[in-house]
Amino acid sequence: MSRLRTRFQIELPLRGLFEHPTLADLAAYLEAALTQASPEHYPSIEPVQPLREGRDRPLPLSFAQERLWFVEQLHPGNTAYNEPAALQITGTFDLDVFQRCLAEIVRRHEILRTTFPVVQGQPIQQIAPTLEVPLSIIDLRAAEQQPDAVQYWITFDAQYPFDLIQGPLWRVTVLQLGDRQGIVLFTLHHIISDGWSKGVLTHELATLYRAFADGKPSPLVELPIQYADFAVWQRQQFTGDRFDPQLTYWRRQLGGTLPILTLPTDFPRPTVQTFAGAIAPFRLSSDLTQALQTLSQRTETTLFMTLLAAFQTLLYRYTRQVDLVIGTDVANRNRAEIEGLIGFFVNLLVLRTDLSGNPSFKTLLSRVRDVTLAAYAHQDVPFSQLVEVLQPDRRGTNSLFQVLFVLQNAPAPAIALPDLTLTALPIPSQTAKFDLALFCQETPEGLLVDWNYSTDLFAATTITRMAHQFEAILQQILDNPDITLDALSDDSSVLTSEEQQSVNQQLLNQQLLNQQPLNQQPPIFGEHRPPKKRKFQAIAPKTVQIPQSAVVLHQFSQSDPPFPLVCSQIWLRSILK
């Protein structure tokens, strides 16, 4: 769609593709749209000033960046918005070439040189002209318990906080495991990156490494704009009435009192969100995944819509609510000129679906299709602006929704390098931004569904049971797409009578909890408390000097001398024995 928008300079809603599935129909649709379009309907993004002249003026934050900046003010040192990634290295790895690649990427992308100081009470983007690559090398080749040491550094790197004012807001760590084995850790703050950006970073890294290793110059084309240009452009779009029609839609769709999802929890909701969380991975078979894709094609929907409708069915089974509000991510890369940028573009969409009347699953899927396409057609309104306009009253919950559903389809370019293989590694999460979030991703082995949940609210066994029930629902709707929601939920394969009794009790507990003041413990839970998260800041660190002969060496690529390593004495004893 972004290619069509750029080529014809017109706005094209996704619904147009669904309603005009053939090339002839789409061509006629485009021709009609062109006759009604005007240049001001598709304003281009221009550099604030020529890039070669530098950035000598205060630059505003994008609306998405501003939202995360406010979160940081409310929760200083919060690591829930750290975006970690890991690549396993197998083969001949040239560290000097790798550093050259990183330096070139830093030069190309201003956002990697950006910090967020406050000037006259307002945060701004401050772009440094240069930045030394924040690269660390950890030598674990002689560690006796190498897997434990690797896990320690992966967790430590992912959970170490950033300083939005001082920066840098990203770092790279190389774990040396052997002569031809290693792991590269990338951690970026979400305020400068998103899931799509990781694909951009990986693609440029592979392209540059291949060229530099062969003694060739960079083959990458210079970027026409930078993220700061997008932020300025986005602000300019909201100075007039350009987005009034979209805001009108959202007021109609989400106006009034929004329902709060009463999903039963194992523990009482804390008065202050801690962001403590975990991920429970669950894989659906390739046969089941293929069958879901076939159903989606037959009903003229998408795999995202089918999975979302099934997930809503599961939530209905637990809550009996027929008015459900769920959030989802959209890449927000609907312009070709921003597809190659690193930056925080992703936007949150709010999907409100009506499940009333005991519809069949096929009917629900049709409703989900309409709601989703309408939301996509109005996705340009930043989530923070939507919250500001609607001003919801939420007691201790996220502003508009508590549950997120995402089908991840950010580009993941293949990495093919001479005598070197880079393989993505999963990183276990210890944070949760929402009560519950499902991240689905297609793989050759089938759908991988990561259940990211708040450990302040849910026990691991509860999430595992929900994952199995989700799979059971999917199987039933494949067997009979015309089955009604109530007929589906009464099936013992979805919820046993014992599980139903447990859920009913949890619903009663939740209702009693909602009647309590937020700063009190409801008596129904007695003395039971969820385990408290051990925060890094609360641990008194021990400073130790490790000699060069020790099995762990923390060396920084900068010319400054290494500073003492701060770590756990228990962990040190485990590897220095």
Side-chain angles (χ1 to χ4, degrees):
M1 293 300 288
S2 64
R3 295 290 190 273
L4 290 175
R5 290 188 182 100
T6 302
R7 174 64 180 84
F8 296 104
Q9 295 292 292
I10 55 175
E11 295 286 359
L12 294 172
L14 184 61
R15 183 183 292 273
L17 286 180
F18 281 84
E19 296 176 347
H20 306 86
T22 67
L23 287 178
D25 289 343
L26 183 60
Y29 171 68
L30 287 172
E31 185 176 0
L34 283 169
T35 61
Q36 304 173 10
S38 60
E40 60 269 17
H41 289 164
Y42 194 83
S44 60
I45 304 176
E46 301 292 341
V48 175
Q49 62 188 102
L51 300 181
R52 63 180 179 275
E53 297 180 6
R55 304 288 198 176
D56 57 2
R57 55 169 285 189
L59 297 167
L61 279 62
S62 69
F63 290 115
Q65 286 180 322
E66 188 176 62
R67 176 166 57 88
L68 289 199
W69 183 86
F70 279 118
V71 171
E72 177 66 20
Q73 309 317 300
L74 294 173
H75 306 279
N78 173 32
T79 61
Y81 291 93
N82 284 11
E83 297 287 313
L87 295 174
Q88 184 162 7
I89 306 169
T90 304
T92 303
F93 181 64
D94 191 321
L95 186 59
D96 292 335
V97 170
F98 180 68
Q99 288 183 266
R100 283 188 59 199
C101 296
L102 294 177
E104 175 62 12
I105 293 172
V106 169
R107 185 197 67 80
R108 287 173 51 80
H109 295 274
E110 288 181 348
I111 193 66
L112 297 178
R113 295 179 265 121
T114 300
T115 52
F116 300 88
V118 176
V119 176
Q120 297 180 349
Q122 296 294 325
I124 65 168
Q125 294 194 65
Q126 187 172 77
I127 303 171
T130 60
L131 175 72
E132 195 167 8
V133 175
L135 172 65
S136 305
I137 298 98
I138 312 294
D139 191 344
L140 299 176
R141 287 175 292 184
E144 293 183 6
Q145 298 186 24
Q146 193 180 82
D148 292 340
V150 167
Q151 188 56 54
Y152 171 88
W153 283 110
I154 290 177
T155 302
F156 178 86
D157 195 79
Q159 294 296 312
Y160 195 80
F162 289 103
D163 187 327
L164 298 188
I165 296 177
Q166 297 297 326
L169 299 180
W170 66 292
R171 55 178 171 262
V172 183
T173 303
V174 176
L175 305 181
Q176 294 179 316
L177 307 182
D179 293 338
R180 294 176 58 84
Q181 296 287 333
I183 296 176
V184 178
L185 305 177
F186 297 90
T187 304
L188 300 87
H189 195 286
H190 202 3
I191 203 169
I192 66 166
S193 177
D194 55 19
W196 187 298
S197 297
K198 293 178 183 178
V200 173
L201 177 62
T202 304
H203 166 71
E204 292 198 356
L205 179 61
T207 301
L208 292 171
Y209 190 97
R210 191 179 299 110
F212 292 169
D214 290 340
K216 299 177 181 178
S218 168
L220 297 175
V221 178
E222 288 296 319
L223 299 169
I225 62 171
Q226 294 285 335
Y227 183 85
D229 301 314
F230 164 79
V232 172
W233 173 87
Q234 185 188 54
R235 294 276 178 176
Q236 291 172 345
Q237 301 310 299
F238 276 85
T239 56
D241 58 0
R242 170 178 169 78
F243 288 97
D244 284 355
Q246 294 201 31
L247 288 172
T248 298
Y249 164 81
W250 288 114
R251 288 191 185 97
R252 183 175 64 252
Q253 182 73 3
L254 305 177
T257 302
L258 282 177
I260 296 178
L261 187 68
T262 57
L263 193 63
T265 62
D266 298 301
F267 314 116
R269 185 180 298 277
T271 55
V272 178
Q273 185 179 9
T274 69
F275 298 96
I279 283 183
F282 194 84
R283 188 175 294 280
L284 303 176
S285 70
S286 57
D287 290 342
L288 181 60
T289 301
Q290 181 59 51
L292 290 169
Q293 292 170 334
T294 301
L295 175 62
S296 302
Q297 294 171 357
R298 194 167 65 242
T299 55
E300 297 184 343
T301 59
T302 65
L303 181 60
F304 170 83
M305 297 173 187
T306 302
L307 292 171
L308 174 60
F311 182 49
Q312 290 173 331
T313 302
L314 177 66
L315 296 179
Y316 166 75
R317 181 67 191 94
Y318 270 88
T319 66
R320 290 295 174 177
Q321 291 177 252
V322 297
D323 187 4
L324 293 182
V325 179
I326 296 177
T328 190
D329 284 350
V330 287
N332 201 26
R333 305 263 185 163
N334 51 11
R335 291 172 173 271
E337 61 264 41
I338 63 177
E339 288 184 351
L341 292 180
I342 295 175
F344 183 21
F345 292 94
V346 67
N347 193 23
L348 291 171
L349 285 187
V350 186
L351 305 176
R352 186 177 190 178
T353 307
D354 175 19
L355 284 74
S356 65
N358 186 28
S360 67
F361 181 80
K362 188 179 292 185
T363 299
L364 173 61
L365 187 54
S366 177
R367 296 179 187 179
V368 169
R369 177 184 185 272
D370 291 341
V371 168
T372 303
L373 290 178
Y376 285 158
H378 302 89
Q379 65 175 288
D380 293 329
V381 178
F383 181 73
S384 59
Q385 294 303 102
L386 193 59
V387 173
E388 183 176 326
V389 169
L390 298 177
Q391 296 186 345
D393 180 19
R394 317 295 269 177
R395 296 175 59 216
T397 64
N398 283 294
S399 53
L400 293 177
F401 57 86
Q402 302 85 54
V403 173
L404 186 77
F405 181 87
V406 177
L407 178 61
Q408 296 173 319
N409 58 356
I415 304 175
L417 302 174
D419 195 30
L420 182 63
T421 302
L422 302 180
T423 307
L425 294 177
I427 296 181
S429 175
Q430 296 183 350
T431 62
K433 306 179 186 72
F434 303 93
D435 294 356
L436 180 64
L438 259 66
F439 296 96
C440 305
Q441 188 171 34
E442 291 186 76
T443 72
E445 297 78 23
L447 272 169
L448 175 63
V449 184
D450 283 336
W451 294 70
N452 182 212
Y453 62 97
S454 168
T455 52
D456 287 335
L457 301 177
F458 301 105
T461 52
T462 296
I463 301 302
T464 300
R465 186 173 70 248
M466 291 181 71
H468 284 286
Q469 293 161 359
F470 181 59
E471 182 181 31
I473 287 175
L474 291 172
Q475 189 59 61
Q476 288 186 70
I477 63 175
L478 288 173
D479 294 339
N480 180 15
D482 292 313
I483 189 171
T484 62
L485 299 194
D486 285 344
L488 179 70
S489 61
D490 285 341
D491 194 301
S492 61
S493 66
V494 177
L495 215 61
T496 66
S497 58
E498 185 177 88
E499 289 172 338
Q500 180 61 61
Q501 184 177 0
S502 173
V503 169
N504 290 340
Q505 183 61 49
Q506 290 180 29
L507 280 170
L508 175 61
N509 295 348
Q510 190 69 32
Q511 293 170 359
L512 293 173
L513 174 62
N514 291 338
Q515 297 170 7
Q516 299 292 324
L518 288 179
N519 60 351
Q520 292 185 12
Q521 176 75 13
I524 192 71
F525 288 94
E527 295 300 316
H528 181 71
R529 298 290 191 277
K532 294 183 177 179
K533 180 183 178 184
R534 295 180 64 200
K535 294 186 176 180
F536 175 79
Q537 294 90 336
I539 303 174
K542 300 289 185 180
T543 302
V544 295
Q545 296 287 351
I546 298 181
Q548 297 284 336
S549 59
V551 296
V552 179
L553 173 65
H554 192 165
Q555 175 190 350
F556 285 79
S557 61
Q558 291 90 333
S559 58
D560 302 330
F563 55 75
L565 178 66
V566 180
C567 58
S568 163
Q569 284 186 315
I570 297 176
W571 178 77
L572 276 176
R573 285 198 297 270
S574 72
I575 64 171
L576 294 177
K577 60 184 180 180

